[in-house]
Amino acid sequence: MELEEATMITPLAGPRLYWTALTAGGVAGLVVDVALFPIDTIKTRLQSERGFLASGGFRGVYRGLATTAAGSAPTSALFFCTYESLKVHLRQYATSPDQQPYIHMASAAAAEVVACLIRVPIEIAKQRRQALLLKGNTSSFEILYGALRKEGLRKGLYRGFGTTVMRDVPFSLIQFPLWEYFKQHWPTVTGTALSPVTVAICGAVSGAIAAGLTTPLDVAKTRIMLADRMESGRMGGMASILRGIYRERGIHGVFAGFIPRVLWITLGGFVFFGMYDLTLRLLDANEEQR
């Protein structure tokens, strides 16, 4: 039996695919990032070199929320538009069902790189506000403009781009094939049809596994984004940063923020993929009524 994407009630194609993926991805990204923002803040402060308490502890856990809200929708929309489009395009090259995971991995990896064009500047502004590195009510625009003016495009606005890609691509290479696999086998194993809730469960489980395995990459990315200009020049690459953290704090330092990261992405995966599937179904039903 040919594998169909379980989130779709009917296969998407052409312009409708782009607009549906854009809308559903944007809605899902905005809902999950706003709802779970405090957990993300705690995770960032645990990973900060200054330490949890010096970075704010449990105070002001909503700092940077406006930045996240402004960036989450376009980032998620761009990701899913790329992901769904590439799946449709690459599916013709899969000669057997066993090759489907490679299609999902390639689509997810490319989508992450594209999404990072928006995600990285947003994360720089968000995490600097979360870690209380800025005095007063410095706006996100001022943070990004200052980074661009003082340090340039690559070292300022897109500092940590490579590290973010190196974190997010492995994450998606784990999460999305697992998500698709769980959806594919859910009806057979459980005897129940897929619904937004079951799609959400598949997303939560796959996200938890990917989050735990990629926590060290997230720690290195956070350190790079929180560093000042002089410090960032001495940090070296991801491997060098992780070696330094291990010497200072051991394995606990390398996996700093493990619990809030896994919790955040597990809950986020449930809300995100459930909302994504629900939005797809609503858009599909509306299209059929027309």
Side-chain angles (χ1 to χ4, degrees):
M1 182 180 70
E2 182 180 356
L3 296 178
E4 291 293 339
E5 303 311 326
T7 54
M8 309 295 182
I9 295 177
T10 57
L12 298 178
R16 181 167 168 248
L17 181 147
Y18 301 111
W19 290 113
T20 302
L22 277 170
T23 304
V27 170
L30 180 61
V31 169
V32 71
D33 282 348
V34 171
L36 302 179
F37 188 80
I39 300 177
D40 183 41
T41 299
I42 292 171
K43 184 268 300 181
T44 297
R45 292 174 178 178
L46 285 169
Q47 294 176 346
S48 172
E49 187 174 13
R50 300 166 64 211
F52 178 68
L53 294 178
S55 297
F58 290 101
R59 295 181 291 109
V61 293
Y62 282 97
R63 283 181 64 95
L65 175 60
T67 305
T68 297
S72 59
T75 300
S76 298
L78 188 59
F79 175 89
F80 268 105
C81 182
T82 305
Y83 178 68
E84 298 289 1
S85 301
L86 280 176
K87 279 200 303 183
V88 171
H89 176 71
L90 295 176
R91 188 182 296 146
Q92 59 185 310
Y93 300 107
T95 57
S96 69
D98 293 339
Q99 295 179 348
Q100 288 293 326
Y102 300 108
I103 300 299
H104 301 147
M105 292 170 73
S107 301
E112 285 291 3
V113 174
V114 173
C116 279
L117 295 174
I118 299 177
R119 179 181 296 132
V120 170
I122 294 298
E123 288 239 328
I124 288 175
K126 178 194 74 173
Q127 291 193 328
R128 291 186 181 185
R129 291 179 65 84
Q130 286 177 327
L132 304 182
L133 295 178
L134 303 159
K135 297 180 179 180
N137 295 318
T138 307
S139 69
S140 299
F141 175 79
E142 290 173 323
I143 296 170
L144 295 178
Y145 177 74
L148 178 63
R149 182 171 57 85
K150 295 177 182 178
E151 304 170 58
L153 186 66
R154 185 173 66 87
K155 294 185 178 180
L157 204 59
Y158 281 96
R159 176 193 295 179
F161 181 86
T163 311
T164 304
V165 169
M166 290 176 66
R167 176 201 65 175
D168 290 349
V169 168
F171 179 89
S172 289
L173 290 179
I174 298 169
Q175 183 187 37
F176 278 85
L178 284 177
W179 179 55
E180 302 283 5
Y181 178 85
F182 293 154
K183 289 190 301 173
Q184 176 192 346
H185 292 281
W186 181 277
T188 303
V189 174
T190 66
T192 60
L194 279 172
S195 68
V197 173
T198 57
V199 170
I201 293 172
C202 294
V205 175
S206 60
I209 295 170
L213 293 175
T214 58
T215 295
L217 306 181
D218 187 53
V219 172
K221 187 273 304 181
T222 299
R223 288 291 184 90
I224 289 174
M225 287 189 169
L226 294 181
D228 58 33
R229 184 178 182 182
M230 295 296 294
E231 184 183 359
S232 65
R234 301 190 300 265
M235 295 183 76
M238 178 179 290
S240 176
I241 294 170
L242 290 175
R243 282 196 301 268
I245 294 172
Y246 181 76
R247 286 194 298 267
E248 294 174 9
R249 302 186 183 181
I251 195 67
H252 294 291
V254 173
F255 280 89
F258 177 88
I259 293 177
R261 173 172 165 79
V262 171
L263 176 62
W264 171 51
I265 293 181
T266 300
L267 295 175
F270 184 88
V271 175
F272 184 87
F273 287 107
M275 183 61 65
Y276 180 72
D277 186 75
L278 177 61
T279 306
L280 285 177
R281 292 170 186 267
L282 292 174
L283 291 173
D284 189 84
N286 182 64
E287 186 67 22
E288 287 184 352
Q289 289 179 356
R290 292 184 179 180

